[in-house]
Amino acid sequence: MARKMLVDGEAPVADGEQYDYDLFVIGAGSGGVRGSRTAASFGAKVAICELPFHPISSDWQGGHGGTCVIRGCVPKKILVYGASFRGEFEDSKNFGWEINGDINFNWKKLLENKTNEIVRLNGVYQRILGNSGVTMIEGAGSLVDAHTVEVSQPDGSKQRYTAKHILIATGSRAQRVNIPGKELAITSDEALSLEELPKRAVILGGGYIAVEFASIWRGMGAEVDLFYRRELPLRGFDDEMREVVARNLEGRGIKLHPGTNLSELSKTADGIKVVTDKGEELIADVVLFATGRTPNSDRLNLQVAGVEVDQIGAIKVDEYSRTSAPSVWAVGDVTNRINLTPVALMEATCFSKTVFGGQQVKPDYRDVPCAVFSIPPLSVVGLSEQQALEEAKGDILVFTSSFNPMKNSISKRQEKTIMKLVVDAETDRVLGASMCGPDAPEIIQGIAVALKCGATKASFDSTVGIHPSAAEEFVTMRTLTRRVSPTSKPKTNL
């Protein structure tokens, strides 16, 4: 008999009632794998279902590791590495490297090596689950009731499993804009597996994915036009840092089209004809829709178990990741909280500790760091200046540093690194930190620990820097850039 585990507010199971598993997990992405592994480590009997592996997702294709590993963070970062070499080759000349002749880029070789790596990682995740004692079942899972999951295989066969608890970790999928010719566009799934590298690319969107693919394709030699509705890309980030990213994109040769949307796509002999809402026309080899993602919840049959979703299909959960059905839980992008892989891992770990580890643990969403892997990258932790002003009871102190990295002083690349600290004037606590420049994610990860520990500006000032490094600028910003009152109007309309 499966173990009978209770969480506050949960009705006890009748004596003698049996389940196939203590926990059944739908979705073997980052959150699902973490949740199943940690639950098993607490002694739970666990099963997990996932679709057959394929680099491009569909109703019947997925793979262990999920979006991040197979068609997201990992392959994207591999392509960013590949695209970064273009700038490195240019910069190397003033360091004495004499490169004679053309430097050729082999897209198919990179694509093959990228695919080999995600195939390897898919296998790694399967071994991790197997070594943890988790039963792996291939197929698409959906609810029959609050304790039963039906798994459907591509051949049409179905099997049902019962569980004391069900964890939904099905992630999200890229969405398409509803305009004429939308079928001619691709999403990030296909962009990571294109057979041919485009020479002319049009990207619609101003978020992470749009900015990152603009950097990738430009770094590989393509002409890139980036269209977005706002005045600046990366809505939700610090406005000052958004301006820096926009300048860097233009400096790398990417054509920006702020305040512009696409209205129609059509196929021509020369490629895809793109028409904007301003009447502009251009021809592209590929059009990428990077306009957001939708929770993967529509095929889960949630209503039969009384699991509620919001207007976009995100599963509603409480602070412990519990849905409106007491035995059903959900973590990761399918809940549309903070849609980042490490956050899904945190949510899944807290779930397992709460349900199977005898600990009441809530995810802590304060000071979650993140990065945009543009070239160069942007990374932030804590509050932006605009967010700090909205939450502040008193004045905010802003410290900034703009400098030419030592490497650029030799390469002559005109691209400054920008750093910023946002500080509470009354308590001296550092509320937020951001950086745009080489190695920004590596540096901000360390800064995130300091913010999590409640570091003050005095703590930063008293820390000895590492010289020569860019990171030392964070502990040498002594001069106040500006003092801002909460009555000031943040630039939230950008």
Side-chain angles (χ1 to χ4, degrees), residues 27-35 65-69 73 125 169 331 340-342 344-345 348:
S30 299
V33 170
R34 175 62 63 86
T67 297
C68 177
V69 171
C73 326
Y125 272 78
V331 298
L340 297 170
T341 295
L345 298 176

Side-chain angles (χ1 to χ4, degrees), residues 363-378:
D364 181 3
Y365 299 101
R366 180 178 60 87
D367 296 332
V368 172
C370 65
V372 180
F373 289 98
S374 51
I375 302 175
L378 166 69

Side-chain angles (χ1 to χ4, degrees), residues 423-467:
V423 180
D424 186 308
E426 181 179 355
T427 65
D428 197 45
R429 181 172 176 173
V430 178
L431 303 176
S434 29
M435 173 181 176
C436 186
D439 302 318
E442 311 298 333
I443 294 171
I444 290 294
Q445 180 66 82
I447 301 293
V449 177
L451 264 63
K452 201 72 174 176
C453 295
T456 62
K457 183 61 168 64
S459 303
F460 276 69
D461 293 344
S462 65
T463 300
V464 176
I466 298 173
H467 184 75

